[in-house]
């Protein structure tokens, strides 16, 4: 079974586009390989069930369809994973991903924004933001012990507590991008803060992220930067490092799939 992340998908897509199941199935069945008997006779596409369906949550999860192939279709499976992105027509494109038992968490930690002038895209400003974050979280002994324990357990980095906390802190990075202001679709400049996850467990990772959002505000000089005031997620490809208007897929020459 493979996962097909539908570009521009979500609850509204599932409700209003039931015909896409047959289109995806027909497309995959049409793939053949020279010198090989087509293994695509047995292709099933499953639509996810929506537990909390909301009319306003048009791009919300679930957005992943599931594709079941015949056990012998190894060549087809390998091709789908290798190609990954398929742009069928302007109303249908998707990305194929494997389903594994090993869970991974994203590098995204939080999004910081503030009043005009608070977000500046310069090396000095970004270093100042990272320094402010480090100074704030290092004051929390619970954070330090949490980070040190998980770095030792999951990264196999040992030594003093300070050294293990620094091992994580050295992965922190600030990138200037444009996000959507919370509750609106208004574009605002933000710092996207990323860092290497210290755990693969989802619930533990959520607890980890709360350490960074607990201060409620960070200072870059005289400017206040606040978390949770803007959102970074691509309604097209579902990536969490850019918004739809900055999605790289439609910028590919000859792109035939969905556009923002």
């Amino acid at each position: 079974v493979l996962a097909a992340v539908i570009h521009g998908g979500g609850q509204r897509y599932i409700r209003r586009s039931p015909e896409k199941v047959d289109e995806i199935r027909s497309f995959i069945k049409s793939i053949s390989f020279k010198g090989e008997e087509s293994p695509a006779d047995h292709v099933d596409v499953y639509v996810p069930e929506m537990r909390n369906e909301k009319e306003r949550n048009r791009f919300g999860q679930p957005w992943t369809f599931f594709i079941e192939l015949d056990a012998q279709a190894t060549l087809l499976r390998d091709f789908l994973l290798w190609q990954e992105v398929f742009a069928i027509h302007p109303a249908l494109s998707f990305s194929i991903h494997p389903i594994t038992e090993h869970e991974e968490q994203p590098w995204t930690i939080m999004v910081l924004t503030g009043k005009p002038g608070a977000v500046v895209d310069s090396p000095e400003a970004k270093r100042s933001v990272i320094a402010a974050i480090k100074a704030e979280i290092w004051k929390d002994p619970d954070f330090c012990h949490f980070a040190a324990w998980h770095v030792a357990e999951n990264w196999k980095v040992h030594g003093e507590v300070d050294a293990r906390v620094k091992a994580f802190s050295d992965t922190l990075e600030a990138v200037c991008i444009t996000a959507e202001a919370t509750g609106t679709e208004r574009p605002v400049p933000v710092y996207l803060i990323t860092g290497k996850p210290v755990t693969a467990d989802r619930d533990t990772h959520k607890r980890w992220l709360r350490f960074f959002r607990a201060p409620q505000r960070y200072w870059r000089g005289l400017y206040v930067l606040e978390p949770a005031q803007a959102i970074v997620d691509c309604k097209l490809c579902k990536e969490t490092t850019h918004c739809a208007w900055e999605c790289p897929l439609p910028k590919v020459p000859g792109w035939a799939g969905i556009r923002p």
Side-chain angles (χ1 to χ4, degrees):
V1 178
L2 300 174
V5 175
I6 307 300
H7 300 161
Q11 295 188 4
R12 184 175 66 173
Y13 193 96
I14 292 174
R15 288 196 306 270
R16 300 185 180 183
S17 305
E19 74 282 357
K20 295 299 186 293
V21 171
D22 289 334
E23 287 190 47
I24 295 172
R25 182 188 297 112
S26 297
F27 169 75
I28 294 176
K29 281 189 171 184
S30 71
I31 298 173
S32 60
F33 304 96
K34 185 176 181 179
E36 294 282 342
E37 183 178 348
S38 175
D41 293 335
H42 305 285
V43 177
D44 286 312
V45 179
Y46 301 97
V47 178
E49 295 184 3
M50 293 184 287
R51 290 189 298 178
N52 300 307
E53 185 175 351
K54 298 179 181 178
E55 180 61 31
R56 293 184 61 186
N57 195 20
R58 52 184 180 173
F59 293 105
Q61 296 191 41
W63 52 62
T64 301
F65 288 18
F66 298 96
I67 299 173
E68 185 177 29
L69 305 176
D70 186 275
Q72 305 302 316
T74 55
L75 186 59
L76 175 60
R77 181 182 186 278
D78 290 346
F79 170 75
L80 293 174
L81 291 172
W82 174 78
Q83 180 67 27
E84 186 176 336
V85 176
F86 296 89
I88 313 306
H89 55 67
L92 177 62
S93 57
F94 53 88
S95 301
I96 298 292
H97 302 278
I99 298 176
T100 64
E101 294 182 1
H102 177 67
E103 190 173 19
E104 295 183 357
Q105 300 304 324
W107 281 53
T108 299
I109 293 176
M110 61 180 171
V111 177
L112 296 176
T113 191
K115 293 182 178 180
V119 178
V120 176
D121 190 3
S122 72
E124 294 78 14
K126 288 184 280 191
R127 282 195 296 267
S128 176
V129 171
I130 294 301
I133 294 171
K134 290 179 180 179
E136 195 67 41
I137 59 177
W138 284 353
K139 293 189 298 185
D140 184 351
D142 290 337
F143 166 82
C144 292
H145 288 294
F146 187 98
W149 191 90
H150 285 282
V151 165
E153 179 73 12
N154 300 318
W155 295 10
K156 308 306 177 186
V157 174
H158 302 286
E160 297 295 329
V161 170
D162 290 353
R164 284 177 274 159
V165 174
K166 184 179 184 300
F168 161 74
S169 300
D170 287 345
T171 71
L172 287 172
E173 184 178 0
V175 179
C176 286
I177 61 171
T178 303
E180 293 181 1
T182 303
T184 73
E185 294 186 354
R186 178 173 59 89
V188 293
V190 302
Y191 288 114
L192 176 67
I193 309 301
T194 61
K196 183 179 177 179
V198 298
T199 176
D201 179 73
R202 180 178 300 179
D203 291 334
T204 305
H205 185 68
K206 289 180 179 179
R207 182 184 170 195
W208 168 247
L209 295 180
R210 286 198 289 270
F211 284 114
F212 296 89
R213 296 162 187 173
Q216 297 186 339
R217 60 177 55 190
Y218 295 91
W219 290 86
R220 186 186 69 78
L222 299 176
Y223 290 100
V224 174
L225 294 166
E226 297 178 287
Q229 300 303 308
I231 299 172
V232 178
D233 67 345
C234 182
K235 294 179 174 61
L236 192 106
C237 73
K238 310 306 180 184
E239 181 56 76
T240 59
T241 58
H242 60 259
C243 289
W245 53 72
E246 293 181 337
C247 185
L249 291 181
K251 299 175 183 179
V252 174
W255 175 256
I258 293 177
R259 294 181 176 274

